[in-house]
Amino acid sequence: MTALIARIVVGATFLAHGYQKFVLNGMDAVVESFDKLGLPPIAAWFTAIVEVVGGAGLILGVLLPFAGVLLAAVMVGALFTAHLSGGFFSSDGGFEYVLVLAAASLALGFSGPRYTLSGLFRGSSEKSEQFAA
């Protein structure tokens, strides 16, 4: 049950950041901010899409390893392109927050099928029972 709670919290965090990029800030502003970091427009779009789709994947428990790896990769990219020079603490613009999100994404991505849609629909009665437990 704790993995489900963690997936919902971390997934919602990624969804919120993706929503921020698409709706609140707008992709033009996001592309511009990525450009200032020396990153191409495709990186801004990739990041926003991965945050939305990967966040939903964590919440629903679908394609977890894929979602976990992609989300972790995006966070490692943020660490090296935007946060490393700020030191460790996020209050100073550092990499603390993105490092925790990267590690959590990987851990949750490989946490298994319990309490997931994937586990429920696998067809195995044992895995379906795990979902209901």
Side-chain angles (χ1 to χ4, degrees):
M1 182 63 89
T2 56
L4 173 63
I5 294 166
R7 282 196 346 259
I8 291 169
V9 170
V10 174
T13 299
F14 277 111
L15 271 175
H17 280 272
Y19 176 81
Q20 179 184 38
K21 285 175 180 63
F22 280 118
V23 179
L24 299 179
N25 296 343
M27 284 308 295
D28 289 340
V30 174
V31 167
E32 183 179 325
S33 70
F34 273 57
D35 183 55
K36 290 178 183 174
L37 295 170
L39 299 170
I42 190 73
W45 283 94
F46 179 78
T47 299
I49 291 168
V50 167
E51 287 175 345
V52 169
V53 174
L58 285 182
I59 292 168
L60 297 173
V62 294
L63 300 171
L64 283 177
F66 186 66
V69 167
L70 284 178
L71 290 167
V74 164
M75 291 298 97
V76 169
L79 188 154
F80 284 108
T81 60
H83 297 280
L84 191 60
S85 63
F88 180 75
F89 296 105
S90 59
S91 60
D92 299 327
F95 59 87
E96 170 186 22
Y97 180 63
V98 295
L99 183 64
V100 169
L101 285 176
S105 297
L106 280 178
L108 294 170
F110 291 93
S111 63
R114 197 167 189 166
Y115 301 110
T116 67
L117 286 181
S118 296
L120 181 64
F121 293 113
R122 280 226 166 102
S124 164
S125 61
E126 177 183 331
K127 289 187 176 135
S128 294
E129 288 172 17
Q130 284 180 349
F131 184 82

